[in-house]
Amino acid sequence: MIVTCPSCETRYRVDPEAITVRSGRVRCAACGHGWKVSEEELTPAEPAKPSLRKTPVDSGPKPASPMEAVNPHEVVRKRAETRRQRARKTVEGAGWAVVAACCLTVLGAAFLFRVDIVDAFPRSASAYAAIGLDVNPHGLEVHNLRAYAAEDETGSLVVEGVVVNVTGRERAALPLRAMILDAEGQVLVEWMVMLDALSLPGRGEEAFRSVLADPPEGAAELEVIFSPET
């Protein structure tokens, strides 16, 4: 007769008399689960009518135990191999995820702290320029730049703006060079603008104001840049 383990569904070919002696109690050789075979399964079926055809006698070796597993070890081996493959894929996926996260962290830090990196390693500026990313080596930027005619001084031009330290550490306050350009980009007049502070703290800023008494004719554009060599 054939019995099936209710836990792992491994099938066994068993001797009914040997199972009856054990009161129907058996244990699965594959997963170790024990259960009791029902009386209906132990009841032998009615013997079939004798046939005139001779049935060849199986002279092969008989199983040593009353239960013969139908490839139980092969089932267990395949399940173990499947678990190992899943575990290996999980570990490999986690490893690649860590590598990708590290690469993104390094790239993000290189972008956010590019000014400090160029300040410490000036040659790295060419690497940033190669990818189309200009880096300000001074760590300072001019914001809110505007020019307008002075109300109390006839014919004068007022230039205002804010110098901002875009880095997280203290930077020297560089002098500014203001320039008036014509429509073709030629410099008509230029003058220096000095800040009151000698340095700016990280993320700090300072406003500046300068008055040009006699602006030239044909002025079309105002430009203010840092002049560290002054």
Side-chain angles (χ1 to χ4, degrees):
M1 62 178 296
I2 301 296
V3 295
T4 304
C5 174
S7 178
C8 66
E9 297 183 355
T10 301
R11 302 180 65 196
Y12 295 91
R13 184 181 297 108
V14 299
D15 184 358
E17 294 182 359
I19 300 300
T20 303
V21 173
R22 297 186 179 186
S23 300
R25 297 186 178 277
V26 294
R27 183 176 297 277
C28 178
C31 66
H33 177 71
W35 78 97
K36 185 176 181 180
V37 180
S38 63
E39 295 182 358
E40 291 78 2
E41 293 177 332
L42 291 176
T43 302
E46 294 183 0
K49 295 181 180 181
S51 175
L52 297 178
R53 181 180 300 178
K54 293 183 179 181
T55 303
V57 179
D58 186 7
S59 59
K62 295 183 179 180
S65 62
M67 297 181 64
E68 180 183 357
V70 181
N71 297 328
H73 299 291
E74 183 67 17
V75 174
V76 174
R77 187 190 66 79
K78 290 182 178 180
R79 291 182 178 178
E81 181 64 23
T82 301
R83 288 195 295 267
R84 285 195 295 268
Q85 291 179 357
R86 290 178 180 176
R88 183 167 57 251
K89 291 180 180 179
T90 301
V91 173
E92 291 177 354
W96 283 113
V98 171
V99 172
C102 292
C103 293
L104 291 176
T105 301
V106 172
L107 293 176
F111 177 79
L112 293 176
F113 302 101
R114 60 188 182 279
V115 175
D116 295 325
I117 293 175
V118 171
D119 185 33
F121 306 98
R123 292 185 177 180
S124 61
S126 58
Y128 283 102
I131 60 175
L133 186 62
D134 294 331
V135 180
N136 179 1
H138 309 305
L140 303 177
E141 294 181 358
V142 177
H143 292 183
N144 303 330
L145 180 64
R146 67 192 187 106
Y148 57 91
E151 297 179 356
D152 54 348
E153 299 180 22
T154 305
S156 298
L157 181 68
V158 179
V159 177
E160 293 181 342
V162 178
V163 175
V164 180
N165 181 358
V166 296
T167 68
R169 63 186 183 88
E170 185 177 9
R171 294 279 179 172
L174 301 177
L176 301 171
R177 178 183 298 172
M179 295 176 289
I180 300 295
L181 310 178
D182 60 14
E184 297 180 355
Q186 299 296 323
V187 178
L188 299 178
V189 63
E190 64 178 50
W191 70 101
M192 301 304 299
V193 179
M194 304 298 295
L195 299 179
D196 294 334
L198 297 179
S199 62
L200 294 178
R203 308 302 175 185
E205 60 182 42
E206 181 178 343
F208 65 88
R209 184 176 186 273
S210 179
V211 179
L212 181 62
D214 189 14
E217 296 182 359
E221 184 180 355
L222 169 66
E223 183 176 351
V224 177
I225 62 174
F226 293 99
S227 182
E229 66 276 4
T230 302

